Amino acid sequence: MKIDRWMAAAAIVLGSVFGPTLAAADPNTATTIGTSLPSDFPLIRNPYLGVPVLGFGARGHVERVPVIFLHGNNDTPFPTACNPFGYIRNVAQYLLASGYRPSELWGLGYQGDQCDLATEITRKSGVSHSTAAAVPLIRDFVRAVMVYTGARRVDIVAHSLGVTAVREWMMQDKAYGYVRNLVAIDGPNHGIISCSPDPANFYQLRANGGFVPDSAICEEYGSDHTQLLSTLNGAGETPGPTRYLVIRNVFRASPESGDFVYLPAQDGPFLPPVPAKDRDGNPHDFSDSALLAGAPSLDLVGQGQFDPVLNASHLGIVNSPQVWDAVVQFLSRPQH
């Protein structure tokens, strides 16, 4: 697992496929999504890092329902000095190219720039990266965007941990009336594969994030019946009036076609499979974890080609033009 070598090499592809941020006197004439929040946007502080949250957005006229973008665990809303991914920003860029205004597109970085992982890698699985830590920040950010834009509702596009974190906030606050659409891209709705005590599960090693059964992330997602998931899914997986769309990776019987979060198969050239077991050590199939009962699903293969760093499907799926187009089409559908 020589991930550090590949992370360093990511300087070649750092940023987005759309290039660097362009300055514009009028934010609503910008052609590229930025990497900051407006100077007069409410300050939201991450209590675990002691710094304001990262994010993007812009002041200006708002005509459409604003869209909020939420990244997954160990990621950021745009590439940073310590994280070469941040592909969720490219979804926003595609919406900008499809007619949205910069003032209608907002991203939240609820785990900082990831530079703190250099001193303590096990924070990847710790409480600061947990759903419990993310929910208050999502709550404050959604409220701030609604007040700042004057919107009565928002659309949300989330990837991986962002999916379940926003679902948890919606359940806690009974906020379904405030979320018009939720696009759930490869979310851990029924657990993840990387938390078992099996010796072959290399993710439990400290150097690989410390995803041991009693880590904060594994207590939340190490099986399909953790307290968090039992409560969250028991309340209904697609409560209305929110509309839901699931976009996920599915297995294809060919090399390097897995999804390292759910599938016991190689995901790209650098991420070998781990046993399909839950945090209790019991065999378990997580391959349908991203599904939500009652939601349509777009099932994709070969998404690793869109991750220029690790060629991993779980990361590439959020950087896929096919996904971007599906997001635009779904958000543009008439409401009934």
Side-chain angles (χ1 to χ4, degrees):
M1 296 297 296
K2 298 181 179 178
I3 301 300
D4 291 343
R5 180 165 62 116
W6 304 108
M7 296 284 280
I12 301 174
V13 294
L14 241 182
S16 74
V17 295
F18 297 97
T21 302
L22 302 178
D26 178 1
N28 277 305
T29 66
T31 58
T32 302
I33 294 297
T35 58
S36 64
L37 293 163
S39 59
D40 58 343
F41 188 79
L43 179 68
I44 300 173
R45 185 171 294 273
N46 184 319
Y48 291 94
L49 298 176
V51 296
V53 297
L54 298 178
F56 60 76
R59 67 170 63 89
H61 183 62
V62 174
E63 293 183 353
R64 300 175 187 249
V65 173
V67 186
I68 293 175
F69 299 87
L70 300 173
H71 60 77
N73 193 25
N74 309 312
D75 204 355
T76 50
F78 43 78
T80 70
C82 298
N83 179 53
F85 303 102
Y87 300 146
I88 197 83
R89 176 173 175 251
N90 293 345
V91 191
Q93 180 66 43
Y94 189 81
L95 265 66
L96 181 67
S98 300
Y100 278 79
R101 298 168 179 264
S103 53
E104 298 164 342
L105 303 169
W106 298 83
L108 168 65
Y110 55 89
Q111 295 179 347
D113 58 11
Q114 305 295 330
C115 292
D116 60 308
L117 299 182
T119 57
E120 185 46 75
I121 192 69
T122 58
R123 289 177 183 168
K124 284 186 173 185
S125 62
V127 65
S128 64
H129 280 216
S130 66
T131 303
V135 166
L137 299 176
I138 292 172
R139 172 183 294 120
D140 290 348
F141 191 77
V142 174
R143 289 175 176 173
V145 168
M146 292 178 66
V147 170
Y148 191 84
T149 62
R152 298 177 61 185
R153 294 182 296 174
V154 297
D155 290 337
I156 296 178
V157 177
H159 176 234
S160 198
L161 184 69
V163 173
T164 41
V166 75
R167 288 183 60 217
E168 175 70 12
W169 162 69
M170 292 165 67
M171 183 192 71
Q172 288 186 16
D173 288 14
K174 303 295 187 291
Y176 308 109
Y178 297 119
V179 180
R180 185 183 68 153
N181 294 303
L182 172 58
V183 181
I185 304 173
D186 229 26
N189 298 301
H190 301 279
I192 60 178
I193 202 172
S194 51
C195 290
S196 83
D198 190 292
N201 173 28
F202 51 79
Y203 292 110
Q204 66 187 314
L205 299 177
R206 185 179 184 86
N208 291 326
F211 289 83
V212 295
D214 62 351
S215 62
I217 287 290
C218 292
E219 286 185 344
E220 292 181 339
Y221 297 104
S223 76
D224 64 345
H225 55 272
T226 63
Q227 181 176 359
L228 178 129
L229 292 179
S230 294
T231 303
L232 180 59
N233 293 328
E237 297 184 20
T238 51
T242 305
R243 298 189 308 178
Y244 300 79
L245 173 66
V246 168
I247 305 177
R248 64 165 184 157
N249 286 301
V250 295
F251 178 71
R252 181 178 60 190
S254 64
E256 301 175 358
S257 65
D259 183 316
F260 69 87
V261 180
Y262 311 116
L263 301 173
Q266 182 88 11
D267 191 2
F270 311 121
L271 298 173
V274 298
K277 294 183 179 180
D278 63 19
R279 66 189 293 266
D280 302 313
N282 299 318
H284 187 80
D285 181 3
F286 289 99
S287 60
D288 286 338
S289 183
L291 293 177
L292 290 170
S297 173
L298 174 61
D299 297 345
L300 300 175
V301 297
Q303 298 300 290
Q305 65 181 303
F306 302 113
D307 170 19
V309 181
L310 298 176
N311 301 120
S313 293
H314 183 69
L315 301 172
I317 193 170
V318 77
N319 201 35
S320 166
Q322 186 175 359
V323 170
W324 303 340
D325 186 64
V327 170
V328 170
Q329 295 303 318
F330 183 70
L331 298 186
S332 300
R333 287 172 50 192
Q335 296 282 55
H336 299 293

